[in-house]
């Protein structure tokens, strides 16, 4: 089951990773295609479209020390003169800024036992050995510095901690020298055989010298998987009987150099996507500082620059629209700043208020014609709240008092419609009081279905729904 899911995920991921795109949707014929999201800049992922170098060649030298074996470089004898030598060369491919794959060749010689085989045996019981090896392995490379980099770290970096692990094949010749001072070949293993598989893992610290060269120190631990690697002979020899060993393992400390290949300025393993984002944000911030706003100023201090202000002499304190024109809500020629009846048209000589305030307030003047309700509902609709807010301003600017009259359409019984109209009127009245109207100025009245705006809608089936909806209303009437 897990294998099947992995295959499906890989099948979905490969087409997605093959193409790169941005977020602007267009249609250009060949691209976008079925593997894209409909982007404007979709193109095949080729060497020409890459932004970073992702290949490098590494080489280094070091000293291996046998640590876990019957004959070791660390625990046997006095530990002097038992340093071997090693060298490696690898071809490195960066997959992402945090992961890569290396193909590596190692060659070296370990020296172990009680003495160096180049010297004579100090006594008849002393045993020395050396092992010449060649190994080819594939290593996974994890860039911990990029992987664990803090999101609030804005600084570039030149040190990077890497982790390595992989498998390969190892071939070796193990020699032994004893008190007879005669050196013998004890074990020889050929490469690319089942018994020649080995593993190695470790860490490395890289320093970026420049865009082309890195210096790296590594400490690797090699698990040979072979109990005869140390030169002690087969598992039944006297030396290998001294301790129980499953695998002869050694440390390999190296110092190396990496040369990054490619024409680009930066290598992918040194790229920090977050750092790039912060850089782009800084560039945008600097560009915004260069923009000069309001070159001509704002002469009337209405908050609209003179560059696009259509009324350059707006009175102080007047509210304006986006073009800098003073607002006149009821369009009576008196701007809201001087209008005593903001939502009701009136003559200029009466400060924008109607001359006569007795009798019914016409709905077109108070802009309450749109106070409508859903069928069988007394809930004030969100679309009606701006109109009711205008009514608050109008009633507060008036000295009179008003009836808040609720009505229904002709569906339902008379008794039900009467109660429904009363609830509608009371809800509107409560809304106005809650928003600043004095309680004594309002009286809620329900007229049920006896006050139809469209009397021809009797019964309701005779009219279109918009007329029935218009009958389900609340309006105002001056006392």
């Amino acid at each position: 089951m897990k294998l099947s899911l992995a295959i499906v995920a890989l099948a979905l991921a490969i087409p997605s990773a093959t193409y790169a795109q941005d977020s602007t949707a267009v249609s250009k014929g060949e691209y976008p295609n079925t593997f894209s999201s409909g982007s404007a800049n979709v193109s095949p992922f080729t060497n020409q479209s890459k932004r970073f170098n992702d290949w490098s060649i590494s080489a280094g030298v070091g000293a291996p020390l046998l640590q876990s074996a019957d004959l070791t470089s660390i625990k046997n004898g006095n530990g002097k003169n038992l340093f071997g030598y090693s060298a490696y060369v690898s071809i490195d491919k960066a997959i992402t800024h945090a992961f890569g794959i290396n193909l590596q060749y190692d060659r070296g010689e370990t020296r172990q036992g009680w003495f160096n085989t180049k010297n004579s045996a100090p006594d008849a019981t002393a045993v020395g050995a050396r092992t010449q090896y060649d190994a080819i392995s594939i290593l996974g490379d994890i860039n911990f510095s990029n992987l664990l980099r803090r999101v609030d770290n804005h600084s570039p970096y030149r040190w990077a901690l890497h982790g390595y692990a992989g498998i390969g094949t190892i071939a070796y010749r193990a020699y032994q020298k004893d008190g007879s001072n005669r050196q013998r070949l004890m074990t020889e293993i050929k490469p690319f055989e089942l018994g020649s598989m080995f593993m190695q893992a470790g860490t490395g610290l890289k320093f970026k010298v420049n865009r082309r060269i890195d210096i790296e120190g590594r400490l690797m631990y090699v698990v040979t998987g072979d109990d005869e690697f140390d030169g002690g002979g087969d598992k039944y020899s006297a030396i290998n009987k001294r301790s129980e060993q499953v695998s002869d393992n050694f440390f390999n400390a190296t110092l190396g150099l990496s040369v990054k290949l490619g024409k680009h300025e930066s290598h992918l393993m040194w790229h920090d996507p977050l750092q790039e984002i912060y850089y782009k944000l800084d560039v945008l911030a600097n560009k915004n500082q260069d923009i000069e706003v309001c070159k001509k100023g704002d002469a009337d201090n209405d908050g609209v620059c003179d560059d696009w202000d259509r009324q350059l002499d707006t009175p102080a304190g007047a509210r304006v629209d986006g073009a800098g024109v003073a607002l006149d809500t009821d369009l009576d020629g008196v701007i809201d700043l001087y209008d005593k009846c903001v939502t009701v048209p009136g003559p200029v000589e009466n400060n924008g208020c109607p001359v006569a305030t007795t009798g019914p307030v016409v709905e077109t003047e108070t802009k309450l014609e749109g106070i409508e309700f859903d069928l069988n509902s007394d809930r004030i609709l969100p679309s009606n709240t701006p109109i009711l807010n205008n009514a608050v301003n109008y009633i507060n600017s008036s000295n009179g008092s008003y009836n808040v009259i609720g009505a229904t359409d002709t569906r339902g019984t008379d008794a039900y419609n009467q109660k429904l109209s009363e609830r509608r009127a009371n809800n509107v009245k409560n809304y106005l009081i809650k928003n600043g109207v004095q309680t004594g100025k309002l009286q809620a009245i329900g007229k049920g279905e006896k006050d139809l705006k469209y009397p021809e809608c009797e019964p309701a089936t005779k009219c279109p729904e918009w007329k029935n909806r218009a009958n389900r209303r609340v309006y105002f009437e001056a006392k």
Side-chain angles (χ1 to χ4, degrees):
M1 181 63 180
K2 291 182 178 179
L3 181 60
S4 300
L5 290 175
I7 293 173
V8 172
L10 184 61
L12 292 174
I14 288 176
S16 301
T18 308
Y19 294 88
Q21 59 274 336
D22 67 9
S23 59
T24 307
V26 294
S27 178
K28 291 186 178 179
E30 182 180 359
Y31 297 103
N33 51 47
T34 55
F35 300 123
S36 76
S37 62
S39 169
N41 297 325
V42 179
S43 60
F45 186 76
T46 62
N47 284 330
Q48 289 73 27
S49 66
K50 290 191 300 185
R51 295 174 49 207
F52 304 101
N53 300 325
D54 53 0
W55 288 95
S56 60
I57 296 176
S58 301
V61 295
L65 291 171
L66 211 61
Q67 174 264 339
S68 175
D70 296 289
L71 296 175
T72 74
S73 307
I74 298 177
K75 294 181 292 185
N76 295 139
N78 56 19
K80 295 181 179 179
N81 302 321
L82 294 178
F83 290 94
Y85 65 86
S86 67
Y88 74 88
V89 61
S90 68
I91 300 175
D92 312 325
K93 166 69 174 176
I95 307 300
T96 71
H97 71 292
F99 179 73
I101 295 177
N102 304 342
L103 177 62
Q104 180 167 303
Y105 168 71
D106 290 270
R107 184 167 193 176
E109 179 179 289
T110 63
R111 294 167 183 169
Q112 56 273 354
W114 279 263
F115 65 95
N116 193 320
T117 55
K118 291 183 177 181
N119 303 325
S120 299
D123 55 62
T125 61
V127 178
R130 63 186 179 93
T131 305
Q132 297 173 339
Y133 66 88
D134 295 270
I136 299 175
S137 58
I138 295 178
L139 299 176
D141 177 2
I142 298 178
N143 187 342
F144 288 111
S145 294
N146 260 340
L147 191 65
L148 303 177
R149 189 164 167 82
R150 285 172 58 108
V151 296
D152 60 347
N153 191 338
H154 292 206
S155 63
Y157 64 102
R158 303 189 70 172
W159 292 91
L161 180 65
H162 287 247
Y164 303 95
I167 61 173
T169 179
I170 188 169
Y172 68 87
R173 288 188 175 190
Y175 298 89
Q176 185 186 120
K177 190 175 184 181
D178 55 22
S180 65
N181 285 321
R182 188 165 52 90
Q183 195 168 171
R184 303 188 304 273
L185 175 64
M186 302 300 295
T187 309
E188 182 177 8
I189 294 293
K190 301 292 185 181
F192 302 109
E193 295 180 355
L194 184 60
S196 69
M197 299 297 292
F198 82 105
M199 298 181 295
Q200 61 175 327
T203 60
L205 185 62
K206 278 190 177 182
F207 175 73
K208 181 180 179 182
V209 178
N210 54 43
R211 61 180 289 263
R212 285 294 180 193
I213 296 176
D214 297 339
I215 296 176
E216 181 181 22
R218 290 187 192 178
L219 180 62
M220 303 293 291
Y221 189 70
V222 180
V223 180
T224 66
D226 192 331
D227 191 22
E228 301 176 20
F229 181 85
D230 61 351
D234 62 47
K235 60 183 179 180
Y236 300 110
S237 68
I239 293 175
N240 280 336
K241 288 181 180 180
R242 294 180 181 181
S243 62
E244 292 291 336
Q245 296 290 340
V246 176
S247 173
D248 296 338
N249 309 326
F250 63 91
F251 288 104
N252 191 16
T254 60
L255 181 65
L257 200 70
S258 293
V259 178
K260 292 163 281 189
L261 309 177
K263 62 181 181 180
H264 299 289
E265 184 67 24
S266 179
H267 191 273
L268 182 57
M269 276 288 192
W270 286 103
H271 174 64
D272 180 10
L274 287 174
Q275 182 71 19
E276 182 179 21
I277 291 173
Y278 290 134
Y279 170 75
K280 290 182 178 179
L281 290 176
D282 290 340
V283 171
L284 290 176
N286 293 333
K287 286 185 177 180
N288 290 337
Q289 294 174 0
D290 296 336
I291 297 175
E292 186 177 356
V293 182
C294 282
K295 293 181 180 180
K296 298 180 180 179
D298 181 13
D300 52 9
N301 293 317
D302 60 357
V304 179
C305 297
D306 291 349
D307 297 331
W308 51 83
D309 195 335
R310 293 174 55 193
Q311 185 178 28
L312 297 175
D313 57 350
T314 304
R319 296 185 302 158
V320 298
D321 60 16
V325 179
L327 294 179
D328 180 11
T329 302
D330 52 12
L331 302 176
D332 59 0
V334 182
I335 64 173
D336 292 352
L337 179 66
Y338 303 132
D339 199 331
K340 300 298 183 182
C341 300
V342 176
T343 61
V344 182
V348 176
E349 56 271 15
N350 199 38
N351 296 322
C353 288
V355 176
T357 58
T358 59
V361 178
V362 180
E363 292 184 42
T364 56
E365 293 181 349
T366 61
K367 300 186 183 301
L368 293 175
E369 187 174 356
I371 305 300
E372 300 172 350
F373 291 83
D374 289 335
L375 182 64
N376 295 333
S377 174
D378 57 8
R379 183 177 69 90
I380 297 174
L381 300 174
S383 59
N384 288 332
T385 53
I387 302 172
L388 292 180
N389 290 339
N390 287 335
V392 171
N393 294 331
Y394 168 70
I395 294 173
N396 283 339
S397 66
S398 171
N399 295 325
S401 57
Y402 298 88
N403 293 326
V404 182
I405 301 172
T408 69
D409 61 18
T410 57
R411 281 172 285 202
T413 64
D414 291 347
Y416 176 80
N417 286 336
Q418 178 62 32
K419 292 181 180 179
L420 179 59
S421 66
E422 292 173 359
R423 294 200 306 271
R424 288 173 176 170
N426 279 309
N427 280 354
V428 172
K429 174 186 174 182
N430 293 336
Y431 179 90
L432 298 179
I433 293 173
K434 183 179 179 180
N435 286 274
V437 177
Q438 295 179 6
T439 306
K441 283 191 172 186
L442 302 174
Q443 181 179 355
I445 299 175
K447 292 189 176 182
E449 60 184 63
K450 299 174 183 178
D451 186 13
L452 298 176
K453 186 173 183 178
Y454 294 99
E456 66 270 20
C457 297
E458 175 63 46
T461 54
K462 289 185 177 181
C463 290
E465 179 56 27
W466 68 268
K467 285 189 176 183
N468 288 319
R469 185 178 186 84
N471 285 332
R472 302 192 297 268
R473 73 197 191 285
V474 165
Y475 63 94
F476 288 78
E477 186 178 81
K479 291 184 179 180

